[in-house]
């Protein structure tokens, strides 16, 4: 299966994010410490992904609205390159805080006409 874009969220192809994007791979561990203070435990479930610091520069309102529409259901299927294997992976994720920083505003309507930056992170649901 080929990717249709760098990132597809809920069927919407996203533009490639700006420099600064990070892949994060986490292990959940049922850990504790024994009497010698040594860590004991095992990995629980699969490794979890986080797409951190997804940021776009210079988005138009239509692009911002498209991204927000893709995130509307909250729990969304996301397809991206699994950086461990180089193959596409689709998992359910949820967004962190969505942050927009307006760049230009229309003088008559007072509506944002361009975003300086728009950003959020996607966190693996673990399903």
């Amino acid at each position: 299966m080929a990717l249709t874009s760098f990132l597809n969220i809920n069927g919407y192809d996203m533009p490639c994010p700006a420099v600064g994007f990070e892949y994060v791979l986490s292990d959940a561990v049922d850990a504790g410490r024994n009497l010698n203070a040594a860590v004991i435990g095992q990995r629980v479930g699969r490794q979890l992904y986080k797409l951190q610091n997804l940021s776009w520069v210079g988005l138009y309102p239509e692009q911002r609205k498209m991204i927000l529409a893709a995130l509307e259901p909250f729990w969304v299927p996301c397809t991206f390159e699994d950086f461990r294997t180089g193959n596409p992976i689709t998992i359910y994720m949820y967004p962190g805080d969505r942050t927009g920083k307006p760049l230009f505003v229309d003088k008559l309507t007072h509506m944002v006409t361009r975003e300086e930056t728009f950003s959020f992170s996607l966190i693996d649901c673990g399903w």
Side-chain angles (χ1 to χ4, degrees):
M1 174 175 98
L3 293 170
T4 57
S5 70
F6 175 81
L7 172 65
N8 182 288
I9 301 174
N10 200 25
Y12 293 83
D13 285 338
M14 298 294 122
C16 195
V19 172
F21 160 75
E22 299 172 320
Y23 287 108
V24 178
L25 195 57
S26 300
D27 292 310
V29 178
D30 67 346
R33 295 197 179 261
N34 65 17
L35 293 175
N36 294 322
V39 174
I40 55 173
Q42 297 180 45
R43 183 185 301 161
V44 177
R46 65 172 174 78
Q47 291 179 316
L48 302 173
Y49 293 86
K50 183 175 183 184
L51 304 181
Q52 189 165 282
N53 301 325
L54 288 164
S55 181
W56 292 269
V57 176
L59 288 182
Y60 290 99
E62 298 77 26
Q63 294 171 302
R64 174 180 32 88
K65 289 175 189 176
M66 182 268 301
I67 293 171
L68 289 171
L71 298 170
E72 187 58 34
F74 192 69
W75 313 107
V76 291
C78 298
T79 302
F80 56 94
E81 179 186 353
D82 181 344
F83 74 104
R84 296 174 310 155
T85 65
N87 296 318
I89 184 173
T90 300
I91 58 175
Y92 274 81
M93 304 180 92
Y94 64 93
D97 293 341
R98 278 83 58 204
T99 304
K101 187 175 181 183
L103 179 62
F104 297 121
V105 174
D106 185 282
K107 290 180 181 180
L108 295 176
T109 65
H110 306 289
M111 301 296 288
V112 174
T113 59
R114 201 81 184 260
E115 298 282 345
E116 181 176 336
T117 57
F118 180 77
S119 61
F120 60 93
S121 295
L122 288 168
I123 301 103
D124 192 336
C125 293
W127 301 343

